[in-house]
Amino acid sequence: MIFGSGLIPVLLFAMICQWMVKSRYNKYSRVMSQTGMTGADAAWRLLQLNGITDVKIKRISGTLTDHYDPTNKEICLSEGVFDSRSIAAIGIACHEAGHACQHAEGYAPLRFRNAVIPITRIGSWLGIPLCLIGIYLADISRTASDLGQTIALIGLILYLFVAFFQLVTLPVEFNASHRALATIRANNFLIGAEYDGAKKVLTAAALTYVAALLSSLRVVLILLRNMRRFSR
């Protein structure tokens, strides 16, 4: 097998990160804030503190489906965050509002990430299949070797955009959490140890993006290792 056991460590790390997110969310979604602020309240307040008045906050279905939609300028909060007064809800809502602040000020990493989204989607669909097809063609026939190498190279380049997207995503997500936590602390959205709970939730979420980057980089290295056979 081309991938073999090379991806097992990063997949295990990704599984641990996902478990941490769910575990901490479940724990701190049951701990209510002393301020009585809901997730929607917290997001709205953070926007106001940053002078942003053209972003909507709406409720969406699902669990941990929260996101910021830059196209429609909407902070989309899941059912367990929008109306909840929990520590987790306030942290998550403020994180998404942090993305709205990034969008409003033209935060460079966010612009880069949005710019590569179209080709990233193509790379995630076609990158690995094209690489595998190219490697297979190069292996089975000398006459198809050049064609195989070309196809594999195209696939690798496409998948590199996936890795680049994951790389650029890190500062975007970490910065949004930093904005959220700084606002929460400075304006007493959460009190005392409540802040630490929100930080734990957002830190666990950030680690999932680290895991995604490590996974994509590992795939790139495995593909390169297999493509190295072309030069032998």
Side-chain angles (χ1 to χ4, degrees):
M1 292 178 63
I2 286 179
F3 291 99
S5 60
L7 280 175
I8 291 178
V10 290
L11 290 177
L12 286 175
F13 178 62
M15 290 172 62
I16 291 171
C17 291
Q18 289 291 343
W19 173 81
M20 287 176 61
V21 170
K22 293 179 181 178
S23 175
R24 291 182 180 182
Y25 173 76
N26 289 337
K27 176 179 179 179
Y28 291 105
S29 63
R30 294 194 294 267
V31 181
M32 300 299 113
S33 166
Q34 297 179 54
T35 62
M37 184 181 290
T38 66
D41 293 336
W44 179 85
R45 181 60 179 149
L46 191 150
L47 294 177
Q48 297 303 304
L49 289 170
N50 287 274
I52 299 174
T53 58
D54 59 345
V55 172
K56 299 177 183 178
I57 303 171
K58 74 174 188 179
R59 183 192 290 105
I60 59 173
S61 61
T63 301
L64 293 176
T65 51
D66 313 270
H67 64 279
Y68 172 65
D69 178 0
T71 302
N72 298 312
K73 289 190 174 183
E74 293 178 337
I75 295 174
C76 304
L77 301 179
S78 61
E79 297 166 343
V81 170
F82 189 93
D83 290 317
S84 175
R85 302 179 189 278
S86 71
I87 292 172
I90 292 173
I92 292 169
C94 285
H95 173 89
E96 300 307 334
H99 285 310
C101 293
Q102 292 173 338
H103 186 209
E105 71 179 43
Y107 183 60
L110 180 64
R111 293 205 313 270
F112 293 152
R113 187 178 74 167
N114 290 342
V116 300
I117 284 177
I119 195 167
T120 297
R121 288 174 178 163
I122 297 173
S124 64
W125 297 334
L126 296 178
I128 292 177
L130 285 177
C131 262
L132 297 181
I133 291 171
I135 292 170
Y136 175 74
L137 288 175
D139 278 345
I140 65 170
S141 171
R142 288 185 178 181
T143 58
S145 179
D146 289 342
L147 176 61
Q149 291 181 45
T150 301
I151 293 174
L153 182 59
I154 292 172
L156 178 63
I157 292 172
L158 286 174
Y159 192 77
L160 282 172
F161 279 97
V162 176
F164 178 72
F165 176 83
Q166 299 294 353
L167 178 63
V168 178
T169 292
L170 285 186
V172 173
E173 296 300 329
F174 277 91
N175 179 263
S177 289
H178 174 75
R179 292 169 188 258
L181 292 171
T183 301
I184 288 171
R185 169 167 277 176
N187 296 276
N188 295 316
F189 286 12
L190 296 173
I191 299 171
E194 294 176 350
Y195 170 87
D196 295 328
K199 185 175 182 180
K200 289 179 180 178
V201 172
L202 295 184
T203 299
L207 285 176
T208 63
Y209 295 101
V210 175
L213 174 61
L214 292 176
S215 178
S216 61
L217 290 177
R218 185 58 180 157
V219 169
V220 168
L221 290 175
I222 292 172
L223 293 174
L224 282 171
R225 184 187 65 198
N226 283 274
M227 289 171 64
R228 236 185 279 160
R229 298 202 304 266
F230 297 156
S231 60
R232 294 176 184 175

